[in-house]
Amino acid sequence: WNAKAQIPEVYSSTTKIRVTVDDREAANNLSQAVSANFILDTKNPTRGIPPFSINASVSPAQLTINASDNSLFQMRIGFQSDLSDASWEDYSNSKTISLPSGSSVTLYYQYRDIYGNITPIFSATTPEKPVGFIIQDTSNLTASPVKYSLHLDWQEISEPSTAPFKQYNILRSTDGINFSQIATILSKSITHHTDASVLPNTLYYYKITAQDQDNNISFASNVVRGMANGAQDFDEGSGQPVVQFSRPGDT
C-alpha cells in the first residue's frame, strides 16, 4: 500500500486498517480484522511566513528558520543547489553559519520528517551589499542656533531575487563596534539620509544594509566616519581626493 501516493498530505493519529479475507467457500467465507489506532503521516513539513531568512550583516550569519510538521523532522542547509555539501540535523528555528565573502549569498535548504516525507529543495538569497557609501558634514554653522547634521549617500541596489525589496537599514555607532539602527528607508530608489540627531564634535560611524520582504539582510556596507563640526575631515567627502584652489595673493 503506497499511502503517500494514494492519500498524500494527510495526518491522522487515529488511523485504522481493516483486512477482510475471503476463502470463496459457499458459507462463512469472510473473516475480518481491524488494527489498533496508529499514526498515518503523508504530509510534508510546511514552511512558515516568512519561510527562511539570512542575516549576513553579522558574523557568523544568523539564520531564522520557520517550518512546522505534525511529526519530528529534520533540516539540511548548504551552499550547493543539490545540498551535496549538507547533512541532516534536527530542526531548529535558528542557526549560525559562516558565509563566504561577496556581494550576495544563496543558501539552499530542505526538510524531512521521521516518516520520510521530504520537501523540495528551497533557496534564499540575500540582497546585494550596498556600495558607493559616502558621508558629508552638512552642518550649517551660520544658522542660529547652529544646525549640526551628517549626510549619507550610497548606490541603489538591484531588486532582490528571492523576495521583493523591503528597506535600507541605517546603523550608527560612537565606538565603531556597537551599532544600533537609527532609520529605515522604504524605497529602493531613495539612496540618501541626513542624520540631524548628531551632537557637535562627536565622531560617528555609519553602515547600511539592504533587507527584503522575507527579512534576508545583506552584507553590511563599508563603515564611514564623520563629525559634525563644519569641516571636512575623517571620511567626509565625495570619495575623491580633495582638490584645493588658490589665487595669486592668497595666503
Side-chain angles (χ1 to χ4, degrees):
W1 178 36
N2 189 339
K4 179 73 172 177
Q6 294 177 5
I7 49 172
E9 297 303 308
V10 169
Y11 177 85
S12 172
S13 61
T14 57
T15 307
K16 293 183 179 181
I17 291 179
R18 184 177 66 189
V19 177
T20 301
V21 179
D22 184 352
D23 65 9
R24 296 186 181 277
E25 295 293 337
N28 300 319
N29 58 307
L30 297 180
S31 181
Q32 294 182 336
V34 178
S35 74
N37 290 345
F38 66 93
I39 293 175
L40 176 67
D41 187 350
T42 63
K43 292 180 64 175
N44 290 342
T46 302
R47 294 191 300 166
I49 300 175
F52 184 102
S53 61
I54 310 164
N55 182 356
S57 70
V58 295
S59 183
Q62 178 70 46
L63 306 183
T64 301
I65 306 159
N66 188 1
S68 62
D69 195 70
N70 298 103
S71 307
L72 294 175
F73 67 110
Q74 296 178 308
M75 63 184 186
R76 59 176 178 167
I77 301 167
F79 298 97
Q80 300 297 319
S81 60
D82 61 355
L83 288 176
S84 57
D85 60 335
S87 300
W88 291 105
E89 58 186 292
D90 291 340
Y91 172 77
S92 174
N93 58 16
S94 65
K95 178 181 173 67
T96 59
I97 189 170
S98 296
L99 301 179
S101 59
S103 174
S104 181
V105 67
T106 297
L107 286 177
Y108 299 88
Y109 61 99
Q110 188 176 34
Y111 307 109
R112 73 175 181 187
D113 67 18
I114 58 174
Y115 295 101
N117 300 300
I118 189 167
T119 68
I121 295 175
F122 305 108
S123 67
T125 302
T126 61
E128 68 178 290
K129 173 183 175 179
V131 297
F133 188 37
I134 64 170
I135 186 170
Q136 292 274 17
D137 183 354
T138 50
S139 300
N140 184 352
L141 302 187
T142 66
S144 181
V146 173
K147 296 180 180 179
Y148 293 101
S149 63
L150 294 169
H151 184 75
L152 309 171
D153 196 275
W154 60 93
Q155 181 177 309
E156 181 179 350
I157 67 164
S158 301
E159 183 66 30
S161 61
T162 302
F165 174 86
K166 181 179 181 180
Q167 63 194 37
Y168 296 110
N169 303 307
I170 315 297
L171 299 104
R172 187 179 74 182
S173 170
T174 55
D175 60 10
I177 300 172
N178 301 296
F179 285 82
S180 58
Q181 187 167 317
I182 61 167
T184 57
I185 307 296
L186 303 181
S187 172
K188 187 169 69 69
S189 61
I190 297 177
T191 58
H192 54 85
H193 174 73
T194 298
D195 183 4
S197 65
V198 294
L199 297 174
N201 300 306
T202 301
L203 182 59
Y204 291 96
Y205 302 77
Y206 295 87
K207 61 183 178 180
I208 58 172
T209 62
Q211 185 171 343
D212 67 21
Q213 294 289 345
D214 280 348
N215 292 329
N216 294 300
I217 300 176
S218 71
F219 291 104
S221 70
N222 61 301
V223 175
V224 295
R225 303 167 301 159
M227 180 182 291
N229 58 2
Q232 182 169 302
D233 44 20
F234 300 99
D235 298 324
E236 296 160 12
S238 64
Q240 298 297 320
V242 176
V243 178
Q244 294 183 341
F245 297 92
S246 63
R247 297 173 298 178
D250 285 348
T251 58

